[in-house]
Amino acid sequence: MTIKEVVAALERFAPLPLQEGYDNAGLQIGLTEGEEVSGVLLCLDVTEAVIDEAVAHGCNLVVAHHPLLFRGVKRIDDATQVTRCVRRAIRAGVGIYAAHTNLDNARGGVNHRLARALGLTPIAPLAPIDDAGNGGGLLAECPKAMAPMDMLAHIRRVLGCTSLHYAEGPQRPIRRVALCGGAGESLMEAALQSGADLFLTGEMGYHRYFGHEQHMWIAVAGHYETEQFTPALMADLLRDACHGLPLHVARTCTNPIRTLA
């Protein structure tokens, strides 16, 4: 199976036109799309350790959620983590592909997998893109209403958060949850309009917590924590579409944030 065929399988599920205008999803390093794929390593972020792990598994393709090449690169040297990774990948003959906001916005994508992990039932995207159910964020429903603090404890337990930031909302049971893995504060207004009892995301600016106490609770659980299920999602997609292709979910934890308890 070639790189081109693996890319086609990913893009059938999450077409590149679904990505946001600022994004840079797609094939980022690939000397030839016709090259045979010896194996795929799936990860959230591309780091030097991840590339080394790919080589150790005999994989010549890394499929990441976050693009390695996001902003312009003017020279390839050892000065930054990004350019070091570019050099290491090219030297090792490892291609790099990113499925980012196109996978966030795809029906059944990143936010659906987060909802599934939390035991929530998807209803509709918070910011629809088309009539096929694609769009930003997700409105989901609890199978059984939960007290707000019980819901926060459930989120923290499932996501394995060392800490969870929250802002209080109305003292009523949580039935509907608006969620967006990663940096989702741009969907705050959509979450309010959806009638959600709780908005869950990965990171958010300080001032965005204010002024919603009469409408909904806010929970901010960490960028990595809310997207940690994405490599397994990509593995499922490729397992179904590329039978027999060696697939490995990276064991390297790429979360750069540490918490001092």
Side-chain angles (χ1 to χ4, degrees):
M1 180 162 290
T2 64
I3 290 178
K4 184 175 183 179
E5 290 171 321
V6 173
V7 166
L10 290 164
E11 293 179 3
R12 279 194 295 272
F13 181 86
L16 289 181
L18 290 181
Q19 72 178 309
E20 302 294 336
Y22 61 80
D23 203 3
N24 190 36
L27 186 63
Q28 304 204 316
I29 297 176
L31 300 181
T32 168
E33 292 185 62
E35 184 177 357
E36 289 291 322
V37 176
S38 59
V40 180
L41 185 74
L42 303 137
C43 61
L44 200 59
D45 310 283
V46 179
T47 66
E48 292 159 281
V50 164
I51 295 170
D52 290 344
E53 186 177 349
V55 172
H57 282 299
C59 298
N60 64 349
L61 180 63
V62 169
V63 175
H65 182 45
H66 296 137
L68 174 64
L69 299 174
F70 192 73
R71 298 176 178 85
V73 174
K74 294 188 177 181
R75 57 187 296 175
I76 303 299
D77 53 21
D78 285 334
T80 70
Q81 187 262 347
V82 169
T83 56
R84 288 194 299 272
C85 285
V86 170
R87 290 191 64 193
R88 187 168 299 210
I90 291 174
R91 280 202 308 265
V94 173
I96 295 176
Y97 180 90
H100 192 209
T101 53
N102 53 319
L103 190 59
D104 289 330
N105 292 338
R107 181 180 181 181
V110 173
N111 295 305
H112 285 72
R113 186 55 66 102
L114 174 59
R116 173 175 152 183
L118 293 169
L120 306 176
T121 303
I123 297 175
L126 290 176
I129 291 176
D130 55 35
D131 295 332
N134 299 307
L138 184 68
L139 180 64
E141 193 166 58
C142 303
K144 183 179 180 181
M146 298 177 69
M149 295 306 295
D150 289 343
M151 173 57 80
L152 294 179
H154 172 66
I155 291 169
R156 184 177 181 184
R157 182 173 59 254
V158 171
L159 301 187
C161 306
T162 53
S163 64
L164 187 147
H165 294 171
Y166 70 93
E168 292 187 356
Q171 293 301 319
R172 62 174 186 249
I174 303 293
R175 292 184 173 84
R176 287 194 165 188
V177 177
L179 56 87
C180 179
E185 70 174 53
S186 64
L187 291 173
M188 175 73 79
E189 295 305 319
L192 288 166
Q193 292 297 320
S194 74
D197 302 302
L198 170 72
F199 177 51
L200 168 64
T201 190
E203 60 177 281
M204 201 167 71
Y206 173 80
H207 295 285
R208 295 292 283 164
Y209 287 82
F210 286 94
H212 307 298
E213 61 276 358
Q214 300 300 317
H215 306 290
M216 67 182 182
W217 289 69
I218 297 169
V220 180
H223 198 125
Y224 180 93
E225 287 79 2
T226 54
E227 293 187 334
Q228 64 183 288
F229 309 106
T230 304
L233 164 64
M234 297 188 294
D236 288 346
L237 295 176
L238 291 179
R239 194 174 291 116
D240 290 342
C242 306
H243 301 291
L245 180 65
L247 301 172
H248 302 271
V249 173
R251 298 180 65 86
T252 302
C253 177
T254 60
N255 188 359
I257 299 172
R258 300 290 181 265
T259 301
L260 182 62

